[in-house]
Amino acid sequence: MKDKALLFINGDVPKSFPNPDHYGLIACTDGAFHYLKRQGFPLERLDFISGDFDSHSGSDEDVYEDKFILTLDQDKTDFHKALEIILEKGFSEIDVLGGSGGEQDHFLGNLTVAYAFKDRLNIKFYDEFSEYYFIPQNFSLKGVKNRMISLYPFPSVENITTKGLNWSLTDGNLSITSRIGTRNFAVEDEVSIEYSAGDLLFFVGINEIEYPTIY
């Protein structure tokens, strides 16, 4: 996993942290720096802290000033600019924590940024409920029986066929304006998905579920 990067951004504070030793690069945006400090994350493990530093408070951050990368472009979010830096440093696999929660326009903005990078970076978001990411047109995942699975078209998906889900699809279409595929669950250990066109955001629950709620 040393070829993978870990990025913290300023959404919900993670309840736990992955092992820093599993990553070749660890970074955060300036807003996320504050919760990492409060939660006791080893700040010396950060390779860089990026942003416009509009939330910079001074004293504690000054200790790590040599890690600051100032990014002032107001046409891009801090998340977008951090991804550009990570890409320039040669990493293509990125785990992102703090991408959901907080103000919901930020969450939707983070998904849009990930969509913009999906052909260059393999970005996986993690929160206390699920992990989620864009998947290719032929995709499978093992070890998911009894876990929540949601399929979210971005904005549409054509000719989608699924296997291993309680509510299956065969050559169906999904669209953000009509039919989406949220709150399904896996009835087999392996789930497979194929589609012919469009882009699909895949959510898999962290824990097994006993009584799925379908919306």
Side-chain angles (χ1 to χ4, degrees):
M1 291 181 63
K2 285 290 189 178
D3 58 347
K4 183 181 289 189
L6 175 63
L7 175 64
F8 296 96
I9 59 180
N10 195 22
D12 274 352
V13 178
K15 294 185 179 299
S16 61
F17 298 120
N19 187 339
D21 293 337
H22 291 169
Y23 296 91
L25 180 145
I26 303 175
C28 70
T29 59
D30 58 342
F33 179 89
H34 300 292
Y35 71 65
L36 291 176
K37 179 174 60 177
R38 290 195 306 271
Q39 296 295 103
F41 185 82
L43 301 177
E44 68 276 5
R45 301 298 298 271
L46 293 172
D47 291 280
F48 72 82
I49 306 156
S50 67
D52 54 16
F53 299 100
D54 54 355
S55 59
H56 177 75
S57 61
S59 58
D60 292 319
E61 287 91 331
D62 286 343
V63 176
Y64 300 97
E65 192 168 7
D66 62 327
K67 298 179 184 288
F68 287 177
I69 299 178
L70 184 63
T71 54
L72 295 175
D73 188 348
Q74 294 303 308
D75 292 329
K76 298 176 182 178
T77 66
D78 285 346
F79 179 37
H80 188 125
K81 291 179 282 190
L83 291 179
E84 289 181 328
I85 296 168
I86 292 172
L87 185 61
E88 289 174 359
K89 291 182 177 293
F91 290 83
S92 59
E93 303 275 335
I94 305 176
D95 289 347
V96 177
L97 278 72
S100 59
E103 297 176 352
Q104 293 307 301
D105 57 338
H106 283 173
F107 171 60
L108 293 174
N110 291 336
L111 296 180
T112 302
V113 169
Y115 176 79
F117 281 89
K118 68 180 179 60
D119 294 328
R120 293 175 288 169
L121 295 173
N122 183 3
I123 300 169
K124 287 188 176 183
F125 294 93
Y126 294 85
D127 61 27
E128 63 176 305
F129 304 107
S130 61
E131 59 186 73
Y132 49 101
Y133 43 90
F134 288 96
I135 60 172
Q137 292 181 351
N138 291 280
F139 173 81
S140 64
L141 184 65
K142 294 182 179 179
V144 294
K145 188 174 182 179
N146 295 327
R147 290 164 68 182
M148 183 275 293
I149 303 290
S150 286
L151 309 177
Y152 194 81
F154 211 86
S156 62
V157 173
E158 298 176 6
N159 303 316
I160 182 170
T161 296
T162 66
K163 295 179 181 179
L165 296 178
N166 189 63
W167 289 276
S168 60
L169 289 165
T170 303
D171 291 328
N173 295 324
L174 300 177
S175 171
I176 194 174
T177 60
S178 57
R179 184 189 190 192
I180 58 176
T182 57
R183 308 306 293 180
N184 208 332
F185 67 99
V187 293
E188 303 291 344
D189 182 70
E190 182 175 6
V191 165
S192 62
I193 300 166
E194 296 182 2
Y195 60 97
S196 65
D199 292 291
L200 187 63
L201 192 60
F202 177 83
F203 292 77
V204 55
I206 297 296
N207 301 311
E208 292 187 359
I209 55 176
E210 296 181 6
Y211 304 103
T213 301
I214 308 302
Y215 297 97

